[in-house]
Amino acid sequence: MTLTHSDAVTPGACPAARTITRTWTATPSSGTPVSCVQTITVVDTQGPSFPAGCNRNVTYQCVAEVPPPGLGGIGPIDNCDPSVTLTSARTSNGGAGCVGNPLIITDTYTATDDCGNSSQCVRTYTVIDNTPPTISCPPALTISGPIPPCNPSDATAADNCGSVTITCTDGPITGGPCSGFFTRTYTATYNCGNTASCDQLITFTDNEPPSIVCPADFAVECVEDVPPCDPADATVTDGCGPVTVICDEGPRIPPEDREKVF
């Protein structure tokens, strides 16, 4: 006896689906052949599969560290479809990337086979910058004369994620207005509010003399009309504060002898 079969294929609702009608025929060495029919139904209900480890959750300090969308050559495979359709979408929660307000970026990859079955790989990147910047103050300073104003650019600062803002403030003076010291504090701030500070010690002394402007020259008729010397007639200033002014009169010179003196 010989056993043979033949198939008749009826396409299904999608390329991988079909109905196979298989007719089996048994032919004896003598006598009449007999047949029976077997129905095989192919139904693709399984979606594509992504490699192990495709889904991941990673935390970064900076937005720049988040990789661009892409699976890096690790694509999905399907049990029936040799070439699946792959789409991707990136979403964000709009956070600032700071402690208490993290930035969460989600990449969703969807693989779909030719029967409409799909599966997803989801990658989540959380950005939280909790590292303070670094800052370096200018060296200690000893000066005489006017104290230079606070200048933020005298310090240098950097942050692992971007540029920083530098401010500076002066602490209270220890000593007096003419000599003493104080601390100048420089502070670097990144956009998450992360800060770092350093201090510069400034010691100062006043070696500058005061400035004085005498009253204008004037003339009188008689020597008796000359007013007494008054220190208040002169204008004096000093960076350290009030000064004491004294005045005294030299000998009175007759008009005919003035050219000999001046």
Side-chain angles (χ1 to χ4, degrees):
M1 184 180 65
T2 303
L3 181 65
T4 60
H5 73 274
S6 61
D7 292 343
V9 179
T10 302
C14 63
R18 63 201 62 190
T19 300
I20 301 173
T21 303
R22 178 164 293 173
T23 302
W24 295 89
T25 301
T27 304
S29 56
S30 63
T32 304
V34 293
S35 299
C36 67
V37 177
Q38 178 187 26
T39 301
I40 302 172
T41 303
V42 180
V43 180
D44 182 11
T45 59
Q46 181 177 332
S49 61
F50 286 89
C54 185
N55 296 287
R56 62 185 63 172
N57 295 294
V58 186
T59 299
Y60 294 104
Q61 287 274 324
C62 310
V63 177
E65 297 173 336
V66 177
L71 290 174
I74 305 176
I77 58 175
D78 189 72
N79 60 327
C80 296
D81 185 0
S83 178
V84 300
T85 301
L86 182 65
T87 60
S88 65
R90 169 164 284 191
T91 59
S92 166
N93 71 334
C98 308
V99 176
N101 186 20
L103 171 64
I104 300 175
I105 298 173
T106 303
D107 286 343
T108 302
Y109 301 91
T110 302
T112 306
D113 66 16
D114 56 10
C115 281
N117 304 309
S118 64
S119 59
Q120 289 185 331
C121 167
V122 179
R123 295 182 172 182
T124 300
Y125 307 109
T126 302
V127 179
I128 303 176
D129 181 12
N130 54 12
T131 300
T134 60
I135 188 168
S136 177
C137 274
L141 180 65
T142 299
I143 57 174
S144 60
I147 299 173
C150 191
N151 185 359
S153 63
D154 290 340
T156 57
D159 187 79
N160 62 322
C161 291
S163 59
V164 299
T165 300
I166 303 176
T167 58
C168 63
T169 56
D170 290 341
I173 293 176
T174 299
C178 296
S179 64
F181 63 90
F182 64 93
T183 298
R184 178 165 287 172
T185 300
Y186 295 83
T187 301
T189 304
Y190 185 58
N191 64 353
C192 277
N194 303 326
T195 62
S197 298
C198 62
D199 294 329
Q200 178 193 28
L201 178 65
I202 298 178
T203 304
F204 62 93
T205 57
D206 180 26
N207 294 327
E208 297 293 326
S211 62
I212 184 168
V213 178
C214 284
D217 297 341
F218 66 94
V220 294
E221 288 289 332
C222 304
V223 71
E224 291 81 5
D225 296 330
V226 177
C229 184
D230 185 357
D233 290 341
T235 302
V236 182
T237 57
D238 186 81
C240 284
V243 296
T244 300
V245 181
I246 59 174
C247 66
D248 63 285
E249 297 182 358
R252 299 188 179 187
I253 303 171
E256 61 272 14
D257 294 333
R258 289 181 180 175
E259 291 184 358
K260 302 176 184 178
V261 177
F262 297 100

